[in-house]
Each structure stands twice: as C-alpha cells, then as structure tokens.
Amino acid sequence: MKTIDELLAEGVGGKRVFVRADLNVPLDGTVITDDGRIRAVVPTVKALAEAGARVVVASHLGRPKGAPDLAFSLAPAAARLGELLGTDVEFATDTVGESARTTVAALTGGQVAVIENLRFNPGETSKDDAERGAFADQLAALADVYVGDGFGAVHRRHASVYDLPARLPHAAGYLIANEVTVLKKLTEDVQRPYVVVLGGAKVSDKLAVIDQLLGKADRILIGGGMAYTFLKAKGYEIGTSLVQEDQIPAVIEYIERAEKTGVELVLPVDTLVAPAFPDLKTKAPARPTAVAADAIPADQLGLDIGPETRKLYASKITDAATVFWNGPMGVFEHPDFAEGTKAVAQALVDSKAFTVVGGGDSAAAVRILGFDEAAFGHISTGGGASLEYLEGKTLPGLAALED
C-alpha cells in the first residue's frame, strides 16, 4: 500500500488529487454537532495543498436515496473544513455535473474544493458493477491521482471507495495509514491483558466480532442495550428492556464458549431503569432507579449500567495492557443515563494501557462528555470498519489501495 509520503515525494504539484474523505458528521439542521471526522482528514488535505496539488475532497453524508436532498448536503462540512485549514474551500453543488467540472477546472495549485454528497448519485452505492463503474469513470475524469482517507467507509464496496482507485494511481492518506497501524496492534502481537468493552443497542451488530474476540481477548465487558439480550439469555427478568429474541441462542453459545476457553465474559450486576425512554430533546429528568441486573421490574426498561457495574468494569480495566472500546454503556445523550459511558471512558483515561475507542457513538460520547481526546491512545473514525477489521474481514476500500 503506497503511503501519502511516497506520493508527495514523487511530486503532486499542479495535479488534481481526489481525496476520498469521511465527512459524514452529525448535523442539527445545518449545524455540525461533532466535527471529529473533518478534523481527522485535515493533515492529509493540508499536506497535499501545501505541496501544490489541486485537491478535490469527496465524501458521503447520511443515507440519501440516490438523489439530491438538501438535508444531507456537504456544504456545512465544506465550510468547516475551510475553517480548520484556514483557507477558502470551494464547493461544487453536484458530484460529477457542470458545477463539479467547473469548480475543479478553476482550481490552482494549493487550492481545495469539496464536491457534493456522493450518495446523491445512485451509482455510488449501486450493487450493479456496471452502474457503479460508470460513476467511478465520471469521478476519475475529475482527477489525476486518488488518495483514500475515509476510513469510516472502507468496509463499503462503493464506487468512490472500491472502483475509483482501480482507475487512478492511488495511495493511502495519513488517517487510513494510522487506523490500520492501530488495528494491527489489536490483532497482531497484542499486549496482554487484552480487555474489550462492547456496548451499543443491538447485539446482532456485535456477534461476529465477539465470535472472533473469544479467541483473542482476555476479558469482554458487555454493556448498552445489547446487555439485556445477554441477561435474558441467562434467564433474568429484563422488563421492557431492549432485547433481540432471535439472537438468544447465539448469545447462549458464546457464554458457554467463554466459560470453556477461559475468556472472562463480564455482564452488568446492576442497571439503571425507568418507566419509559427519556426525552433526548428536552432532557427532562427521568428519575432512574438502580436495580440488580437479575431483578428488573416487569414494567421498567434498562437504560444504563448501574453504579456497582461502573465500579466493576473500571476494576476490570485497571490492569489491562490493551483496551478496545466500541459502543456506549447506556443512553449517554441524556444526563440521567450518561454515567455508565462516562465511567468507562474515565477508566480508559486512568489506565496505563494502550487504549482504542472504536469510532461511532463511542467517539462521539468521548467528545460530548468533555474528555480530552489526547488522553486516549487512539480514537477511530470508523466504528463499523473497525469492527469488521477485527472480525477478520477483507475491507474493500483497503484492498483497493493495495498495489
């Protein structure tokens, strides 16, 4: 895999360099609520611009249905990228149309442009190779060189991620190179004890990675909505808590495998419950109650790990040499149910281990809850991509960058 430093050494002055970034940031209307993914691509864009390249940045945002939708416009992300670079960033109002062609043609060395949301074109996500390839051909006409730096999308077989690199000389940006280096530390020659903390809503999203980690991790701590499927599998009353009944047989199998292989699978010993899901807009007090994990009232639902579980999980992280965390412990967006996620984040900060926050909601929680990002070993920009890498899958976007 060619690195961006090798590309820069060859010279990019005057060349049109297409940077596939991940600017898929959360928006409240047109206001960016977490700019972490934009900041992550700045080193690559800045290095190319300073080397005299004409930089064309492209990304997806959200899930538009293959047609323009202003609710998913990249205009706010383009403006924020300009602020972070300290320079004007041009914005094309389409992907491969007149605006994109004109905007890119007008760039001079050192200038940067962002083209509109790639998913406004159905060819970006098409399962039809020909349709996807045709869109990749149009994108290739805008550039001389391709730099992949959107780690959050490398697990997708999309035109700009998989097909476009085959059509242009290509290299990996700083972000992708760093992400791969970090993930290798979680899969090759891991420093032990190796502790994995998994949360989030659905256990189905994490089963494949649990399957792999049962042969690699020393401890797996389970929290978030997915914990209640584990508790149900143990025969506990979980009230009206989130549960995936169809996943219970697989969960039972994993619990048994953990016991046989000596992997410490740690479940909540208590949980915070409330009669209903909290209002995340008004943040109205929900008045939660802490109850034992095996005694959740039938009319209550679990929304966060309880105080005893926070202490337990922190103690399980204390002596770790490597920690990977993916998924919040509760509904951290509401102050009444943020303490579990906050406790795990604090335990990582206090640990002497090499700590990796696996993107997605976990990365957002770290920033929203006010933690210093520098206190963690690495904060990934791609939750889904990180998990699939740990599952041992071949990621199309990484495979496409191989020489």
Side-chain angles (χ1 to χ4, degrees), residues 342-368:
K342 192 180 296 184
V344 167
Q346 188 62 55
L348 266 67
V349 170
D350 294 340
S351 171
K352 294 180 181 179
F354 174 62
T355 56
V356 179
V357 180
D361 287 340
S362 305
V366 162
R367 291 186 277 267
I368 291 170

Side-chain angles (χ1 to χ4, degrees), residues 233-250:
K234 297 273 286 184
Y236 297 167
E237 169 60 59
I238 62 167
T240 59
S241 304
L242 180 66
V243 63
Q244 289 184 283
E245 297 280 356
D246 62 323
Q247 302 298 323
I248 288 177

